[in-house]
Amino acid sequence: MIDLTLNAESYRPGEELSGYASWLFEKVPKKLDIRLFWYTQGKGTEDALIVKSIPVDPLSRQGSQEFRFPLPKAPYSFSGRLISLIWAVEIIAEPSWESARKELLLSPSGEEIILLKGNYES
Amino acid sequence: MKAKANPFRSYKIEHVPYFLQACPWDKLMEKLKSLSYRVAILGAQGRGKTTLLESLAHRLENRGWKICLLYFCEERRRLSWSALNDLRKACDQKTLVFVDGAGHMPHWFWKAFVFMLAHSGGLIITTHREGMLSPLIRCETDHAILRAVLRYILNGQEDQIWDLSCRLFEKYNGNIRDVLRDLYECCPIDPGKNRREGSHLKQSLTV
């Protein structure tokens, strides 16, 4: 079981993101990373980039850790009809690949940028 | 609809499980074993060959096999000799090599590929081409499979787009991938986030 909490869900470029992760595994994982990353979703092939990764050390079957990530200036969180760009923090264990993820928003307004807003139902 | 909410976004489509035709999993596994794990999954485009290959790889990995998964396509038709040699060294009798799109390999390279991996535990490929390895199964699609795929993607709300989906199924001659691609453009349904998505960063054993 893994739990992940972010202290806020929306951020401006350059701000610091902070949060808290806790975990309880059956066995001690071989690797446990907390990652800040973005990825795309939509009609085409997905793109993703790990911006920063914090390895948990020492590894334990049960534990918790606070984390902080300085956020970059770009890219902004946005959604269009064909593509969305989503920022997230994820904690992932190997080799079980158990994971927990929390999405966040990164933009100058702190809100997701909507492309072609008139075409949306919601 | 936002791209990330579209039920037919590529991530969702790529994670649709394989819906077996008449042959159940245990019979398929039996046949695979009887053919010494050297088999071909046959079928035209959009019939679920890759999905079946990946499902098989996952099941066999859970049974203790080491899995090596390779993808070939029109733009990537072969490995370099050094990569093939590295693969040969990495393989042993407990390794199963899965190849998606094996039919893209030039004939001469395919011969070398089979020779170099003769010591591996098995070679399981997808291809349109007959005669490369003994056939394990020929993937076909029908309306029942189309409905099962739509039910999975739309969390049971497939009735709303069933007529349109059937028309697209005829238009694309049973290619479900093309049907789903078209549905991206015209689907009004937001099935919600009932299924938890796995990590977007997990790296499979892909060479």
Side-chain angles (χ1 to χ4, degrees):
Chain A
M1 187 199 73
I2 314 183
D3 198 31
L4 192 61
T5 307
L6 301 184
N7 292 335
E9 288 178 358
S10 68
Y11 298 86
R12 268 81 177 167
E15 283 185 346
E16 186 180 71
L17 174 156
S18 61
Y20 181 83
S22 59
W23 57 89
L24 172 61
F25 299 112
E26 285 181 9
K27 294 177 185 173
V28 179
K30 288 184 178 166
K31 199 175 175 197
L32 187 60
D33 283 341
I34 304 169
R35 299 163 170 176
L36 170 71
F37 68 103
W38 58 259
Y39 63 99
T40 62
Q41 286 218 319
K43 191 171 186 183
T45 310
E46 273 194 22
D47 201 2
L49 182 73
I50 298 173
V51 175
K52 179 90 178 168
S53 183
I54 302 171
V56 173
D57 187 28
L59 292 164
S60 58
R61 196 178 72 81
Q62 182 174 8
S64 61
Q65 181 165 318
E66 287 184 9
F67 57 83
R68 289 173 190 281
F69 289 110
L71 289 164
K73 292 185 175 169
Y76 300 155
S77 304
F78 72 85
S79 263
R81 195 172 58 81
L82 292 177
I83 187 170
S84 296
L85 187 141
I86 301 146
W87 277 93
V89 173
E90 182 170 74
I91 176 165
I92 186 161
E94 292 182 33
S96 66
W97 297 109
E98 281 178 81
S99 66
R101 187 175 78 233
K102 286 280 188 229
E103 291 179 5
L104 61 119
L105 294 170
L106 176 69
S107 77
S109 66
E111 292 181 3
E112 184 181 40
I113 293 166
I114 303 296
L115 307 176
L116 301 171
K117 195 174 181 180
N119 289 353
Y120 287 9
E121 298 161 354
S122 58
Chain B
M1 184 182 287
K2 291 177 184 177
K4 65 183 178 186
N6 194 308
F8 296 100
R9 61 191 183 276
S10 56
Y11 178 86
K12 287 279 283 187
I13 291 172
E14 284 159 17
H15 288 79
V16 172
Y18 186 72
F19 293 97
L20 272 180
Q21 305 154 211
C23 185
W25 278 111
D26 51 350
K27 286 208 169 167
L28 200 69
M29 290 296 194
E30 243 172 60
K31 188 173 178 185
L32 184 61
K33 195 174 176 184
S34 72
L35 293 169
S36 306
Y37 297 96
R38 290 181 190 275
V39 295
I41 297 168
L42 298 165
Q45 283 187 345
R47 262 65 176 183
K49 295 186 300 298
T50 303
T51 310
L52 175 57
L53 187 84
E54 290 171 348
S55 298
L56 263 180
H58 184 65
R59 279 169 183 261
L60 289 162
E61 188 175 28
N62 287 341
R63 291 185 179 196
W65 290 91
K66 280 196 292 176
I67 304 298
C68 177
L69 191 50
L70 303 166
Y71 293 89
F72 291 96
C73 58
E74 199 56 53
E75 294 77 35
R76 187 168 182 270
R77 301 183 65 202
R78 49 165 292 218
L79 299 175
S80 66
W81 289 114
S82 64
L84 180 57
N85 201 34
D86 289 345
L87 180 63
R88 182 185 66 79
K89 287 180 196 161
C91 286
D92 57 28
Q93 284 191 330
K94 289 179 180 171
T95 307
L96 293 177
V97 180
F98 287 77
V99 183
D100 187 43
H104 291 289
M105 285 190 227
H107 184 69
W108 58 269
F109 185 78
W110 167 246
K111 290 288 176 196
F113 189 84
V114 171
F115 178 76
M116 295 277 266
L117 298 176
H119 65 294
S120 68
L123 180 56
I124 301 168
I125 65 171
T126 67
T127 178
H128 312 294
R129 244 166 53 193
E130 303 269 354
M132 294 178 77
L133 290 173
S134 303
L136 173 69
I137 189 171
R138 180 177 293 280
C139 291
E140 298 288 358
T141 54
D142 56 24
H143 284 90
I145 291 175
L146 175 65
R147 187 175 271 279
V149 169
L150 292 173
R151 185 178 302 137
Y152 179 85
I153 291 174
L154 297 172
N155 290 338
Q157 299 179 61
E158 73 278 7
D159 283 348
Q160 295 182 45
I161 55 160
W162 180 242
D163 290 344
L164 170 62
S165 303
C166 287
R167 286 199 300 277
L168 291 171
F169 189 72
E170 304 310 321
K171 176 182 170 186
Y172 290 116
N173 295 316
N175 184 331
I176 289 185
R177 194 188 304 130
D178 283 351
V179 173
L180 300 178
R181 212 169 272 162
D182 262 24
L183 286 171
Y184 182 97
E185 301 288 349
C186 48
C187 180
I189 302 168
D190 182 353
K193 282 191 168 180
N194 292 352
R195 284 195 186 86
R196 189 177 176 281
E197 292 182 1
S199 170
H200 284 258
L201 301 170
K202 178 179 169 182
Q203 297 297 307
S204 60
L205 289 164
T206 304
V207 176

